[in-house]
Amino acid sequence: MKPKTRTGLPGMSVDDIHRTHYSDQIQDSIVGEEISIAGWIEDVRDIGKVAFLTVRDIRGAAQVILSNETLKKAIDTPRQSAVIVSGVVQHSKSKDFPLELKAGKIAIVGEAVHPLPIDPTGRVESSLDKRLDSRALDLRNPKTSSIFLLRSKVLDNIRMTLRSEGFVEVNTPKIIGSASEGGANLFAFEYFKKQAYLAQSPQLYKEQLVLALDRVFEIAAYFRAENSNTVRHLTEFLSVDIEAAFINYEDAMDLAEEVIKNVFRLQMADRKDSDALNDLSKIPIPDSIDRLTYEDCVEELCKEGEKLEFGDDFTDASLRTLGKLHNGFYFIKDWPLELKPFYIHEKEDNLKLTQSFDLQYGYLELISGGQRQHNPLKLRKRLIEQGLNPANFDRHLEVFGWGMPPHSGWGLGFDRLMMVLTHSDNIRNTVMYPRDPDRLMP
Ligand code: ATP
Ligand code: MN
């Protein structure tokens, strides 16, 4: 059966549907031409003889003029319904729209309910929670969609940078048979008759892969049972991971810097997409990123009156203090051995320290990385020191006897990077369907 258009409206069957133009393609050069646009009714204005519709699509909005009684019936359609309009482009007297489409035909192809759960124009504000409950509709708000248009471009840009540095994109398993980095925060589930886990990171796999592929990167979601409701943790988050053979941790920091700088260059070149966001120019493109040591930071914090000793981890409060002392991006490197996972390489000249780093933006940790231990005997020893059972890592450790080169890498919390780029104070803003201890839907 042929789908029908709404009764009482000048007909176009769904078979006629063919968008010829997006709203931003309505320009002087096509005045007088007959075109079709498609989108959602945002506003209607009836001024008597004629009426106006504002039709929004992903690229902007267009004005449609309805100039006879039959066409004017379209203004009874609930707002946010999906429509296709064809007509002729003409000059308009409106302040907001220099050009408009003089409708010849309108098809209401997807009617919206009334009232909607949230107002996607943003005029009536809703809490983040409510917006997340109706995320697909929230995404029709340009302020929300611009975050995700930017997100897609930034991912592209990072892929480009890494490929140009000789990295190959890989995909490692997310269903794993043993804990990759020790027990905490793992989601476990029954896998046929066995116990399996969701991957917390690609750490062990990406290290194995440098032995053959030299330089690898992966962009994927990971899962952590973080039972704390913070603005920077989700139970499912996207991570950009790299691992490279024959590089040290300073080289790995250089690569992180290059990735970040290229993202900022893209952002500046591409401001239009982000207009709906806060003023992005407030974030300066970093020239080079300071590399402080963990011990520098301890000293700074002590000067600020905090009671800290070597070996203490930085609390949230400490990180906020450091964030105030160091605006923007900075590295914290050379962390104490006991604060880092078993696979991190110690410093040759001070065995209490490691060749490790975090990249911070203010208080927010974006990246952790470092040089890895590639000596299987030392790696086994480190596992024991950290209370892990080397037997659970047999399949991993054996790989280190197959000509494992020295290697380094890092993991970048991509959703957190998006927080920085969009001035967002909550990671949930930058993820389409965030997952946290309370939220499993939609
Ligand atoms: P944090 O101390 O902030 O919990 P972490 O040190 O446990 O982070 P890593 O294991 O170093 O995290 O992971 C590398 C990066 O992945 C982090 O720097 C962060 O950007 C991101 N990340 C880690 N856990 C989460 C999470 N639960 N939600 C969002 N991003 C995360
Ligand atoms: Mn970390």
Side-chain angles (χ1 to χ4, degrees):
M1 205 176 80
K2 265 196 172 181
K4 285 204 182 112
T5 54
R6 213 167 103 106
T7 45
L9 280 169
M12 251 166 89
S13 84
V14 177
D15 294 344
D16 297 333
I17 293 170
H18 176 63
R19 163 162 47 201
T20 62
H21 290 71
Y22 279 93
S23 60
D24 65 341
Q25 294 171 313
I26 302 179
Q27 288 170 357
D28 278 328
S29 57
I30 59 164
V31 169
E33 276 182 37
E34 176 153 356
I35 67 163
S36 295
I37 61 168
W40 296 269
I41 298 176
E42 186 166 274
D43 269 323
V44 300
R45 203 152 49 92
D46 186 0
I47 58 165
K49 256 202 194 138
V50 298
F52 297 96
L53 297 181
T54 308
V55 175
R56 181 167 292 283
D57 62 24
I58 187 63
R59 299 196 195 168
Q63 174 161 285
V64 171
I65 181 166
L66 310 168
S67 53
N68 67 47
E69 284 307 315
T70 324
L71 287 164
K72 268 181 69 186
K73 290 196 177 115
I75 65 176
D76 298 330
T77 311
R79 288 178 202 206
Q80 299 301 334
S81 296
V83 293
I84 302 176
V85 186
S86 61
V88 175
V89 178
Q90 64 181 28
H91 290 284
S92 142
K93 293 190 193 95
S94 128
K95 268 188 267 137
D96 298 335
F97 298 96
L99 299 170
E100 66 193 5
L101 192 61
K102 184 169 189 250
K105 287 182 190 169
I106 298 183
I108 314 298
V109 291
E111 200 169 307
V113 299
H114 180 79
L116 288 163
I118 56 165
D119 171 19
T121 69
R123 277 173 218 146
V124 182
E125 277 195 33
S126 303
S127 68
L128 178 59
D129 242 15
K130 277 197 128 179
R131 293 201 284 116
L132 291 175
D133 285 342
S134 308
R135 191 55 143 172
L137 186 58
D138 179 44
L139 280 161
R140 208 178 282 158
N141 182 337
K143 218 169 163 172
T144 309
S145 63
S146 61
I147 294 173
F148 294 94
L149 299 182
L150 184 67
R151 193 178 152 110
S152 159
K153 290 205 162 132
V154 173
L155 279 174
D156 240 16
N157 180 268
I158 291 177
R159 283 198 165 90
M160 240 161 48
T161 303
L162 291 175
R163 279 200 205 100
S164 77
E165 287 290 346
F167 285 80
V168 53
E169 185 162 6
V170 299
N171 306 101
T172 62
K174 306 300 163 232
I175 300 177
I176 56 173
S178 73
S180 32
E181 301 194 25
N185 295 348
L186 268 177
F187 282 115
F189 62 98
E190 198 185 304
Y191 185 76
F192 305 104
K193 294 243 155 69
K194 293 195 192 95
Q195 170 109 312
Y197 308 92
L198 291 176
Q200 295 169 295
S201 86
Q203 186 61 36
L204 306 188
Y205 291 101
K206 68 176 179 169
E207 285 195 54
Q208 294 187 13
L209 291 174
V210 302
L211 166 151
L213 300 175
D214 198 89
R215 294 183 157 217
V216 296
F217 78 98
E218 177 163 17
I219 300 180
Y222 297 96
F223 307 90
R224 295 188 190 180
E226 312 262 10
N227 200 0
S228 57
N229 263 300
T230 79
V231 292
R232 62 179 195 279
H233 290 96
L234 294 174
T235 50
E236 175 175 346
F237 64 96
L238 195 74
S239 176
V240 177
D241 275 273
I242 75 156
E243 201 66 33
F246 306 111
I247 71 167
N248 64 30
Y249 79 134
E250 296 283 350
D251 301 327
M253 279 187 266
D254 290 346
L255 283 162
E257 255 191 74
E258 195 189 336
V259 163
I260 296 287
K261 279 192 212 162
N262 282 345
V263 165
F264 273 78
R265 285 188 197 114
L266 157 103
Q267 213 198 298
M268 298 316 274
D270 218 18
R271 285 281 294 289
K272 198 173 152 284
D273 279 326
S274 312
D275 278 352
L277 302 174
N278 297 329
D279 187 6
L280 288 167
S281 62
K282 279 188 211 137
I283 305 176
I285 303 182
D287 277 336
S288 77
I289 300 178
D290 285 346
R291 298 180 184 185
L292 317 168
T293 65
Y294 164 86
E295 285 168 293
D296 292 338
C297 294
V298 170
E299 203 173 303
E300 285 181 356
L301 288 167
C302 287
K303 274 197 197 131
E304 294 292 311
E306 290 196 28
K307 299 217 165 19
L308 265 182
E309 280 173 30
F310 179 88
D312 291 341
D313 205 352
F314 299 140
T315 59
D316 213 56
S318 306
L319 289 172
R320 292 208 182 252
T321 309
L322 283 174
K324 282 199 191 105
L325 297 171
H326 305 278
N327 266 315
F329 294 99
Y330 58 99
F331 287 103
I332 306 176
K333 62 174 194 171
D334 299 357
W335 290 77
L337 188 65
E338 61 261 43
L339 292 182
K340 285 290 161 186
F342 71 90
Y343 49 78
I344 288 286
H345 203 297
E346 71 280 1
K347 287 198 81 168
E348 307 287 4
D349 57 355
N350 184 344
L351 299 182
K352 285 189 171 142
L353 297 177
T354 54
Q355 304 185 45
S356 62
F357 60 87
D358 281 5
L359 176 67
Q360 297 283 135
Y361 182 82
Y363 89 99
L364 190 65
E365 178 191 319
L366 296 175
I367 291 181
S368 278
Q371 172 138 359
R372 321 305 188 183
Q373 180 55 261
H374 67 285
N375 175 327
L377 295 176
K378 288 189 182 168
L379 199 53
R380 186 179 289 274
K381 195 170 142 256
R382 288 288 297 135
L383 279 166
I384 295 165
E385 280 169 12
Q386 296 229 343
L388 296 163
N389 181 1
N392 295 340
F393 292 82
D394 277 351
R395 299 317 284 275
H396 183 58
L397 290 169
E398 74 174 342
V399 175
F400 284 67
W402 300 341
M404 181 58 90
H407 56 282
S408 299
W410 43 255
L412 160 68
F414 185 74
D415 314 307
R416 291 192 187 172
L417 176 63
M418 288 307 300
M419 285 174 76
V420 175
L421 298 177
T422 60
H423 293 282
S424 182
D425 55 10
N426 191 331
I427 193 168
R428 290 162 185 77
N429 282 313
T430 70
V431 175
M432 280 196 187
Y433 295 99
R435 293 285 175 259
D436 65 30
D438 294 327
R439 183 173 285 283
L440 203 48
M441 298 273 195

